[in-house]
Amino acid sequence: MSPPIATGKSESGTARFLGSASSGILELLIFHPVDTVAKRLMSNQSNIFGDGKSFAEGKQALTQVVFKDAANQPFMKKYASLFPGLGFAAGYKVAQRVYKFGGQPFVKDYLNTHHKALFTNAFGEKTGKTMMHATAGSLVGIGEIALLPLDVLKIKRQTNPEAFRGRGFLTIIKDEGMGLYRGAGWTAARNAPGSFALFGGSAFVKEYMFGLNDYSNATFFQNFCSSIGGAVASITVAAPLDVVKTRIQNRNFDNPESGLNIIKDLIKKEGFRGFFKGLTPKILVVGPKLIFSFTVAQQLIPVFDRALKN
């Protein structure tokens, strides 16, 4: 029999929570304002620096477009104005990062304790360790459907705000009930390969590019490179079902459509290329967020663990 899979020491649950929660909060603080600025600039139809405006006038116009009513307010109020509609996004994103980045190590530890021989015998020691990380990620990804209501509300708020019709959060929860889990099967089908590729890709880079035995000893650069590999693989693999999932979720509450009908309609009207619509911009826009949060989580979890133990 092959030797046990060396996965290094296990961090405490508190360290995993703190590291993953920190990554989600930092991701929101850094990227949500960037998204807001981009959307406001794209929505602006006036010429900011043209039409004979001086540089000072153009700068003032730019400030007005970006910060709107807070254009003449102090810096912190300007910064706060870049966080509109943060509620659902914050709740979902932080919960998602804590669950995924903090939960995957627990599943990996379980697999290593109870099923390491299965992975070692099937794939060998090095590949077995990579497959164990990937499988743990996939199982956690499937369980992520528990957070689906927040994801559904976030997507509808972004793409179909009229679906809310002035209703508050609790009213929607009461009215829609299990309807908020519409598309759960497709979400699980999307998350399983996506999370498998995310954690598997990251482990592959650490194992085969950097030759790490204990992944918790990875440097910031090694975590960064492994996050790039995992994020690009995850977004690409999950793209087809992500298109289906998004189209299911952005429908009106009172006008649902099944995933199979969406797939048939998509193939008929857009061809198989339709499954990869938005892949390039998603890698460019979503990729950095995932790379950032995954790198931060991988870096901070061991840091918090050492701090708590000392």
Side-chain angles (χ1 to χ4, degrees):
M1 181 180 290
S2 301
I5 294 174
T7 56
K9 59 187 179 297
S10 295
E11 298 89 357
S12 68
T14 303
R16 290 168 177 172
F17 173 82
L18 292 174
S20 54
S22 298
S23 75
I25 293 169
L26 287 172
E27 179 186 345
L28 277 169
L29 291 177
I30 292 172
F31 287 98
H32 195 81
V34 174
D35 287 344
T36 301
V37 171
K39 286 182 173 62
R40 288 179 178 178
L41 289 174
M42 286 187 289
S43 300
N44 175 59
Q45 298 181 19
S46 63
N47 196 339
I48 294 176
F49 284 101
D51 299 331
K53 293 178 181 176
S54 66
F55 177 78
E57 290 173 332
K59 182 180 177 182
Q60 179 61 34
L62 177 63
T63 301
Q64 193 68 45
V65 169
V66 171
F67 297 108
K68 294 186 177 295
D69 294 339
N72 298 316
Q73 298 296 319
F75 172 78
M76 288 308 298
K77 288 191 175 180
K78 285 182 178 179
Y79 180 67
S81 74
L82 299 178
F83 288 88
L86 188 62
F88 294 132
Y92 175 69
K93 187 57 63 182
V94 175
Q96 181 194 43
R97 295 316 188 205
V98 169
Y99 171 77
K100 180 173 282 187
F101 297 156
Q104 187 268 353
F106 285 104
V107 180
K108 182 264 297 178
D109 287 346
Y110 174 84
L111 294 176
N112 185 52
T113 300
H114 300 282
H115 303 287
K116 61 186 177 184
L118 177 66
F119 288 91
T120 307
N121 293 336
F123 304 104
E125 184 178 355
K126 292 179 68 174
T127 304
K129 181 164 50 164
T130 300
M131 292 298 293
M132 184 181 296
H133 278 264
T135 302
S138 184
L139 293 172
V140 169
I142 293 172
E144 199 176 331
I145 60 175
L147 303 175
L148 193 59
L150 284 175
D151 190 25
V152 170
L153 294 172
K154 176 179 72 74
I155 289 176
K156 288 189 189 299
R157 176 68 79 181
Q158 291 173 326
T159 63
N160 191 16
E162 63 272 14
F164 285 78
R165 294 192 295 272
R167 295 183 294 172
F169 175 74
L170 294 178
T171 302
I172 292 175
I173 295 293
K174 179 182 177 181
D175 292 347
E176 305 303 330
M178 293 304 294
L180 292 172
Y181 283 94
R182 188 177 298 125
W186 294 101
T187 301
R190 187 282 304 260
N191 287 355
S195 294
F196 183 95
L198 175 65
F199 290 97
S202 173
F204 180 89
V205 172
K206 289 178 178 177
E207 187 72 39
Y208 290 95
M209 287 186 63
F210 296 118
L212 292 173
N213 184 53
D214 184 353
Y215 296 168
S216 67
N217 290 330
T219 64
F220 179 84
F221 178 73
Q222 290 169 335
N223 280 326
F224 177 68
C225 291
S226 66
S227 295
I228 292 175
V232 173
S234 175
I235 293 170
T236 304
V237 167
L241 288 173
D242 201 27
V243 171
V244 177
K245 166 186 167 290
T246 300
R247 294 191 182 189
I248 289 173
Q249 292 179 335
N250 68 16
R251 303 279 298 182
N252 274 322
F253 288 116
D254 55 0
N255 186 29
E257 187 173 9
S258 72
L260 288 177
N261 285 338
I262 286 175
I263 289 175
K264 291 176 184 177
D265 198 46
L266 187 150
I267 294 174
K268 180 180 178 181
K269 295 181 178 179
E270 305 165 55
F272 285 97
R273 292 176 61 184
F275 285 110
F276 292 92
K277 267 191 171 180
L279 177 59
T280 299
K282 188 163 188 179
I283 289 176
L284 294 176
V285 175
V286 178
K289 298 180 188 179
L290 183 55
I291 291 166
F292 173 85
S293 60
F294 198 21
T295 300
V296 170
Q298 292 182 97
Q299 191 70 22
L300 287 184
I301 288 174
V303 170
F304 277 119
D305 187 61
R306 289 191 290 269
L308 291 168
K309 287 179 180 177
N310 290 336

